């Protein structure tokens, strides 16, 4: 099993985290890990993302990665901050090659068969199906997965606690990405832990 597959199999839900204030990073990570979701994707959408990754890396049990990485320069920044894996919204050849050169576990976004074929050409077999709901939902992923038996997915985008079990029931799906487990703003520890426990239980 390769490194990205191990990460994807760690928990049924990968929290997709947007950090506005670096001070929120550690309490949020601690609550998510305590609730059973150790794999944390911090999106590179805010100036607080890199400081947040650096801080979360020190939380016991956390596996911290960078999301919304769109080019090789961002990849370098994320790795310098200590990211253990990289997630991107789409797949370009320059980014795919840079991730491969860096030897970092990489989960690029795909929405079409052409995207998957481009990834396979780069030696990739694990993808984020994004934006999952807007790109056609379950029927689209079932149709996409059919010709590519060796490929595995993490659907992300529009997935909720209610819809996650349907996605997770698909054989090619190893986990889902979800923002519902990490509400924006100052983390309420008990609430985040409760949401994380509910999400972690989906894998049982």
């Amino acid at each position: 099993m390769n490194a990205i597959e191990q990460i994807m199999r760690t928990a049924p839900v990968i929290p997709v985290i947007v950090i506005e204030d670096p001070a929120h990073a550690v309490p949020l990570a601690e609550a998510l890990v305590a609730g059973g979701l150790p794999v944390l994707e911090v999106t590179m959408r805010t100036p607080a993302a890199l400081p947040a990754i650096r801080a979360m890396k020190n939380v016991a049990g956390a596996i911290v990665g960078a999301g919304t990485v769109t080019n090789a320069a961002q990849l370098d920044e994320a790795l310098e901050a200590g990211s253990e894996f990289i997630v991107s919204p789409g797949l370009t050849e320059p980014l795919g090659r840079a991730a491969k050169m860096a030897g970092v576990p990489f989960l690029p976004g795909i929405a079409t068969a052409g995207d998957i074929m481009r990834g396979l050409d780069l030696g990739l077999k694990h993808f984020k199906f994004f934006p999952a709901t807007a790109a056609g939902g379950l029927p689209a992923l079932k149709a996409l997965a059919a010709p590519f038996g060796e490929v595995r997915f993490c659907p992300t985008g529009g997935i909720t606690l209610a819809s996650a079990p349907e996605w997770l029931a698909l054989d090619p799906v190893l986990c889902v990405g979800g923002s519902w487990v990490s509400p924006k703003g100052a983390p309420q520890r008990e609430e985040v832990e409760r949401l994380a426990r509910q999400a972690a239980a989906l894998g049982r």
Side-chain angles (χ1 to χ4, degrees), residues 55-148:
M56 286 177 165
K57 280 275 296 171
N58 297 316
V59 173
I63 302 165
V64 184
T68 324
V69 173
T70 59
N71 55 55
Q74 278 191 332
L75 174 80
D76 288 343
E77 287 178 339
L79 293 176
E80 202 180 313
S83 297
E84 294 173 73
F85 64 97
I86 299 293
V87 183
S88 65
L91 175 59
T92 64
E93 200 169 311
L95 180 58
R97 292 200 184 288
K100 208 168 177 185
M101 284 267 287
V104 64
F106 179 47
L107 190 66
I110 60 90
T112 67
D115 291 341
I116 294 172
M117 289 161 66
R118 187 160 56 250
L120 289 170
D121 284 345
L122 289 165
L124 303 166
K125 292 184 179 178
H126 298 79
F127 302 101
K128 173 170 91 163
F129 177 50
F130 177 82
T133 303
L138 278 161
L141 183 56
K142 282 180 186 173
L144 265 181
F148 304 106

